[in-house]
Amino acid sequence: MRLLSVLLVSVALSACVSSGEQQAQPVPPANLGSTQSMPSASPAPTSAPTYTRRVTYRDGRYTLPDGTTVAAEAGGGFTLANREIVRPDGTGGIILPNGARCVSDGNRGYLCP
């Protein structure tokens, strides 16, 4: 009886293994190049920035996310307390001194990452 059980388990396990498995193709080292055309990988999608900070405008002054206020400049943008200038980017947004781009909120204020 025990031999029959072992035989049945062996047959059941052997049925789980496919004899038609594909073998992995060897890949040449990166410094040798490839003689076959490799499918091009599509670039990873870039995620849209998350706008978590808001710069608001009221009565000629911008209120920054930390609560400080600065005067609006006639050509757009403003100057920070540390004398760094935040200029408009030409598309309705601004570029912060750290390179981050803020988009317009539609009411002369900005949404920043």
Side-chain angles (χ1 to χ4, degrees), residues 6-30:
V6 171
L7 183 62
L8 287 175
V9 169
S10 297
V11 170
L13 288 177
S14 67
C16 293
V17 178
S18 172
S19 62
E21 290 182 30
Q22 294 181 350
Q23 294 181 351
Q25 295 291 329
V27 177

Side-chain angles (χ1 to χ4, degrees), residues 28-42:
N31 62 347
L32 295 179
S34 174
T35 59
Q36 296 176 327
S37 64
M38 300 292 287
S40 63
S42 61

Side-chain angles (χ1 to χ4, degrees), residues 69-93:
T69 59
V70 293
E73 294 181 1
F78 48 88
T79 302
L80 299 173
N82 63 1
R83 301 198 189 278
E84 290 188 273
I85 298 172
V86 178
R87 299 192 192 280
D89 67 357
T91 63

